[in-house]
Structures are given as C-alpha cells and as structure tokens.
Amino acid sequence: MEESRLIKYEIDENGYIVRSYNPDDSNIPDGVVDAWEGSGFFKPRYNREQGQWVEGAAQEEIDEILKGTNLIDEPVSEVEQLKEQVLDLQRVCNVLMANQSQ
C-alpha cells in the first residue's frame, strides 16, 4: 500500500506545528503526522494520546481573535474568500490523494 499523500507536519513536544512537508519530499523525518481534515482550527495542535488534531487555542484567545468582528454586517473581503476557497480545495485534494493511495 502506498504512503498517504496528505501534507505532513513535524510537531513539537506540545503538538504544535514546527514545519510542513510535501508528501513527495524525500527527506521527511520520522514522527511527522498527517494534516488535519475538516474544519480549520485557530491554533491547530496534535494530541498524541488521542491521535488526532484538536483546537490548541484557549477560548480567551479565540474570543480575542473574533473580537470586533461582526460576521453578519461586514462583508468578507475577496482575499479572505479566496483564502477559504484555497483551504477547502487543499482539504479536498488531501482526501482524494489519501483515497487514491488505498
């Protein structure tokens, strides 16, 4: 069976991303983990015990990020829309590549 084609992440001792690797990279070290699937996180953190990605930001941090943001009244900029579309496409590509290797 082929190795997963998902982007790989090197993580620190707390589970936070240190570096990312393209799946075709020939010098990927041991211990890297696959990218997360689904919704994005404010501060992604890999929980080694659970073997999955979790939200690493405290609620206070999330509130601070969202502070002053009125998602209903303020239109989303074209740049932000494009960023979201790129992330959505990356997630779809990751799933397709993972399924192709199975």
Side-chain angles (χ1 to χ4, degrees):
M1 182 159 96
E2 273 186 50
E3 185 177 332
S4 173
R5 304 259 319 144
L6 292 172
I7 291 178
K8 310 263 186 209
Y9 290 105
E10 181 178 344
I11 55 175
D12 65 17
E13 63 278 352
N14 296 313
Y16 294 104
I17 298 170
V18 175
R19 183 175 175 196
S20 63
Y21 294 90
N22 183 310
D24 296 327
D25 198 342
S26 61
N27 61 348
I28 297 176
D30 292 336
V32 297
V33 296
D34 288 337
W36 60 90
E37 294 181 29
S39 297
F41 295 108
F42 288 93
K43 191 175 180 182
R45 183 177 69 83
Y46 190 76
N47 184 311
R48 294 175 199 270
E49 293 174 2
Q50 295 176 359
Q52 64 184 15
W53 289 95
V54 296
E55 178 58 68
Q59 188 59 49
E60 295 81 25
E61 291 176 278
I62 295 171
D63 292 344
E64 187 64 30
I65 292 168
L66 298 176
K67 185 178 180 180
T69 304
N70 185 341
L71 298 177
I72 295 172
D73 295 335
E74 294 179 15
V76 178
S77 74
E78 185 176 352
V79 171
E80 291 302 317
Q81 288 176 351
L82 290 172
K83 285 180 183 178
E84 280 301 313
Q85 290 174 355
V86 168
L87 288 173
D88 288 342
L89 287 171
Q90 180 63 54
R91 290 180 191 115
V92 169
C93 289
N94 287 344
V95 170
L96 290 173
M97 288 188 295
N99 289 338
Q100 183 181 20
S101 67
Q102 293 179 356

